[in-house]
């Protein structure tokens, strides 16, 4: 059995939904279909999720929501009309949206926002299920609440309750036909809607694949395969072949560092269940795509990809004889913990400690408070904060035990006139990370691509 997930671009309009149904019906082992909310139909268009966020914000401000509400309903009505699904499904969606908007003031702002955002996937799953039935196929919509997808943690950034896997497995043990399942959200133990981070439909698909022990998890998007780097930065990468196979570790590293084709958190459920992930193109379903699996044939001295991500900050703490001070690192991290800031990397020197965090957790107006807390708890000689950093990630199982890989990258950046703020390599040697100024991002990715793939 296969679990297949379709992204927003694959479900943006009736034409795309017809492609999705053709793909599913072409393979009888495709039994569970996870859907995103309708995405952009053309350049300059607005995703349904963004329309829902605008609607939620208007409701929270107490403004008239007729325009925003109408924009959401219009998108679904257009899809239903072009698929000849009738008026009933549109009325159901309209009633559902009215019920959701009516919850403003009854829920906290994060709870209300999650309730509204989840409407995109939830109502689209209902539309797609009805579309399959209109083709004479046995299909049904399945609710995350009824099937037992329980989430924990904060709203907008929730994670699965481990007990959900067994519950989901039982829920799908006797189903027939095609199940259409909304991605991106689940329910708390208290029965409230909670969402994964943005792009969380990938996570839903991975969770269901693990729960039912699928043979493969197919993730359909709008690219033929995963490319070695971002084609928006290096357009010539499209002239070559995409990545045929890669390991879970490689995908996780690349997705974390900016490969938007797949959510990095979505790798984890599949990894634990040893479910292969196949990235494929809805618009070119005959292409084999990229297969992500436990292991692959590796050529020493090669890398699989170069990724980059903006929006990082480096907190540099300097103190003479820091290495002799027991508990220094713990106290420094405790400051961040108390301020609700998670860290990404923590390279260090003899008398210096760097903590890399995402800029979203440390806006400019919080700098003074963080610096004051660090000075109070660890009494450093200097504390500086570097902003506007990009993290470059060079990834590949072929780098393990191969000398000169980091030197090759450093030489490429130096030749391009790009200075490095920091270098960090994990013990697995599957990747190394280089911090640079954000203004140098495109030039750096191009230089590394030429060095390793040119």
């Amino acid at each position: 059995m296969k679990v297949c997930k379709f992204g927003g671009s694959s479900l943006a309009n009736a034409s795309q939904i017809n492609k999705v149904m053709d793909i599913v019906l072409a393979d009888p082992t495709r039994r569970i279909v996870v859907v995103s909310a309708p995405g952009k139909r053309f350049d300059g268009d607005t995703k349904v999720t963004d329309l829902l966020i605008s609607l939620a914000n208007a409701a929270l401000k107490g403004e008239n929501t007729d325009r925003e509400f109408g924009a959401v309903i219009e998108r679904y009505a257009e899809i239903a009309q072009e698929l000849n699904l009738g008026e009933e499904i549109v009325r159901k969606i309209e009633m559902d949206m009215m019920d959701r908007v009516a919850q403003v003031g009854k829920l906290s702002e994060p709870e209300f926002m999650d309730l509204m955002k989840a409407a995109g996937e939830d109502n689209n799953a209902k539309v797609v299920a009805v579309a399959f039935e209109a083709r004479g196929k046995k299909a049904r919509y399945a609710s995350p609440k009824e099937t037992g997808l329980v989430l924990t943690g904060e709203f907008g950034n929730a994670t699965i309750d481990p007990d959900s896997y067994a519950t989901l497995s039982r829920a799908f043990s006797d189903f027939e036909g095609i199940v259409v399942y909304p991605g991106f959200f689940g329910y708390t133990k208290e029965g409230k809607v909670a969402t994964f981070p943005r792009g969380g439909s990938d996570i839903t698909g991975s969770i269901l694949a693990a729960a039912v022990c699928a043979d493969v998890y197919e993730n359909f998007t709008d690219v033929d395969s995963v490319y070695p780097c971002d084609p928006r930065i290096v357009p010539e990468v499209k002239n070559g072949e995409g990545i045929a196979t890669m390991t879970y570790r490689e995908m996780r590293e690349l997705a974390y560092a900016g490969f938007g084709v797949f959510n990095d958190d979505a790798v984890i459920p599949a990894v634990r269940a040893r479910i292969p992930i196949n990235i494929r193109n809805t618009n070119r379903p005959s292409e084999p795509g990229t297969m992500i699996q436990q292991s692959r044939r590796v050529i020493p001295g090669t890398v699989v990809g170069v990724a980059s991500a903006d929006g990082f900050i480096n907190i540099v703490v300097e103190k003479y004889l820091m290495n002799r001070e027991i508990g220094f690192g713990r106290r420094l991290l405790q400051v961040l913990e108390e301020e609700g800031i998670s860290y990404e990397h923590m390279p260090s020197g003899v008398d210096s400690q760097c903590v890399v965090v995402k800029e979203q957790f440390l806006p400019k107006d919080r700098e003074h408070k963080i610096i004051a807390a660090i000075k109070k708890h660890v009494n450093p000689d200097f504390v500086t904060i570097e902003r506007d950093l990009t993290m470059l990630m060079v990834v590949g199982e072929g780098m393990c035990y191969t000398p000169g890989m980091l030197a090759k990258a450093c030489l490429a950046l130096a030749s391009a006139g790009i200075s490095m703020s920091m270098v960090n390599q994990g013990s697995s040697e599957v990747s190394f990370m280089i911090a640079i100024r954000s203004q140098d991002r495109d030039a750096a990715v191009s230089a590394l691509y030429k060095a390793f793939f040119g």
Side-chain angles (χ1 to χ4, degrees):
M1 181 175 61
K2 296 177 180 177
V3 172
C4 45
K5 175 262 176 180
F6 292 89
S9 62
S10 301
L11 299 156
N13 54 34
S15 174
Q16 289 296 94
I17 291 175
N18 275 320
K19 290 180 186 178
V20 166
M21 291 192 288
D22 289 342
I23 290 169
V24 173
L25 297 175
D27 185 344
T29 65
R30 290 176 177 138
R31 303 284 302 283
I32 300 176
V33 181
V34 178
V35 302
S36 298
K40 292 184 179 181
R41 297 162 292 185
F42 46 82
D43 289 342
D45 194 19
T46 304
K47 300 177 181 179
V48 165
T49 299
D50 291 334
L51 293 176
L52 290 165
I53 291 172
S54 296
L55 172 58
N57 285 329
L60 287 167
K61 293 175 184 176
E63 299 173 350
N64 185 292
T65 60
D66 289 350
R67 180 173 62 86
E68 291 83 1
F69 188 92
V72 173
I73 301 304
E74 184 181 349
R75 284 294 298 274
Y76 287 109
E78 178 184 288
I79 291 172
Q81 182 179 8
E82 292 180 3
L83 290 173
N84 297 314
L85 303 183
E87 295 293 327
E88 183 180 355
I89 183 63
V90 180
R91 286 196 295 270
K92 285 183 177 179
I93 293 172
E94 189 169 4
M95 291 299 296
D96 174 78
M97 291 305 308
M98 290 175 64
D99 289 343
R100 291 175 192 260
V101 174
Q103 297 304 307
V104 67
K106 302 176 184 178
L107 301 173
S108 69
E109 183 173 328
E111 292 170 351
F112 179 71
M113 187 61 75
D114 270 14
L115 178 68
M116 294 300 294
K117 289 189 296 184
E121 281 74 12
D122 199 30
N123 286 312
N124 209 29
K126 296 170 186 176
V127 168
V128 174
V130 172
F132 273 113
E133 291 177 337
R135 282 201 181 189
K137 306 301 178 182
K138 187 176 180 63
R140 68 178 176 91
Y141 156 84
S143 164
K145 188 172 187 177
E146 294 172 356
T147 52
L149 180 52
V150 177
L151 305 188
T152 62
E154 60 186 300
F155 290 91
N157 193 34
T159 57
I160 185 172
D161 183 326
D163 292 340
S164 293
Y165 287 103
T167 307
L168 288 165
S169 179
R170 290 193 296 270
F172 286 100
S173 61
D174 59 352
F175 73 92
E176 296 180 358
I178 297 166
V179 174
V180 184
Y181 202 93
F184 186 44
F185 75 97
Y187 287 80
T188 66
K189 290 182 178 178
E190 294 74 31
K192 295 179 179 179
V193 173
T195 67
F196 294 113
R198 195 82 183 251
S201 292
D202 289 346
I203 304 175
T204 302
S206 186
I207 288 169
L208 295 187
V212 302
C213 298
D215 297 312
V216 65
Y217 168 34
E218 294 181 318
N219 191 288
F220 284 87
T221 179
D222 55 3
V223 295
D224 286 348
S225 62
V226 180
Y227 291 110
C229 69
D230 191 337
R232 294 170 297 183
I233 298 176
V234 186
E236 59 264 34
V237 73
K238 287 188 173 182
N239 298 329
E241 295 183 0
I243 302 169
T245 58
M246 59 197 306
T247 66
Y248 295 127
R249 292 199 299 180
E250 289 170 332
M251 189 68 233
R252 168 80 168 146
E253 297 275 1
L254 289 169
Y256 162 78
F259 266 40
V261 71
F262 197 67
N263 187 301
D264 58 319
D265 289 343
V267 178
I268 298 171
V271 169
R272 290 174 176 164
R274 299 294 190 267
I275 308 295
I277 303 168
N278 192 191
I279 307 294
R280 304 186 66 173
N281 191 344
T282 303
N283 301 311
R284 289 161 57 90
S286 60
E287 293 295 321
T290 297
M291 187 66 76
I292 307 166
Q293 52 202 30
Q294 181 66 25
S295 61
R296 66 179 180 88
R297 179 176 174 269
V298 174
I299 300 174
T302 61
V303 304
V304 73
V306 176
S308 62
D310 289 330
F312 288 90
I313 295 173
N314 187 20
I315 304 172
V316 183
V317 182
E318 300 178 67
K319 187 174 185 180
Y320 182 58
L321 296 179
M322 177 192 298
N323 62 314
R324 298 187 185 180
E325 191 171 329
I326 297 173
F328 185 93
R330 175 186 56 78
R331 294 196 302 275
L332 176 59
L333 291 180
Q334 187 174 350
V335 171
L336 300 182
E337 180 183 351
E338 291 174 354
E339 292 295 328
I341 300 173
S342 61
Y343 75 95
E344 305 295 319
H345 308 280
M346 199 173 177
S348 64
V350 176
D351 296 321
S352 66
Q353 182 75 65
C354 298
V355 184
V356 179
V357 303
K358 289 186 176 177
E359 194 167 3
Q360 67 194 74
F361 298 123
L362 184 51
K364 193 79 172 177
D365 58 8
R366 292 185 66 190
E367 269 192 23
H368 179 75
K369 182 179 180 182
I370 296 296
I371 291 174
I374 291 173
K375 288 180 176 179
K376 176 182 177 181
H377 287 82
V378 301
N379 191 29
D381 297 325
F382 302 100
V383 180
T384 55
I385 293 181
E386 299 176 287
R387 289 187 170 271
D388 298 321
L389 294 179
T390 286
M391 295 298 160
L392 303 172
M393 194 76 78
V394 180
V395 179
E397 301 275 1
M399 296 197 299
C400 297
Y401 309 113
T402 304
M405 300 300 288
L406 180 57
K408 190 174 185 178
C410 293
L411 178 60
L413 295 178
S415 299
I418 299 169
S419 61
M420 300 177 293
S421 298
M422 181 176 55
V423 177
N424 189 30
Q425 182 173 31
S427 58
S428 67
E429 296 189 51
V430 173
S431 68
F432 57 80
M433 180 270 294
I434 300 174
I436 60 169
R437 295 172 300 178
S438 293
Q439 66 193 54
D440 295 327
R441 176 184 182 178
D442 288 4
V445 172
S446 296
L448 292 174
Y449 174 74
K450 290 175 182 176
F452 290 105
F453 299 99

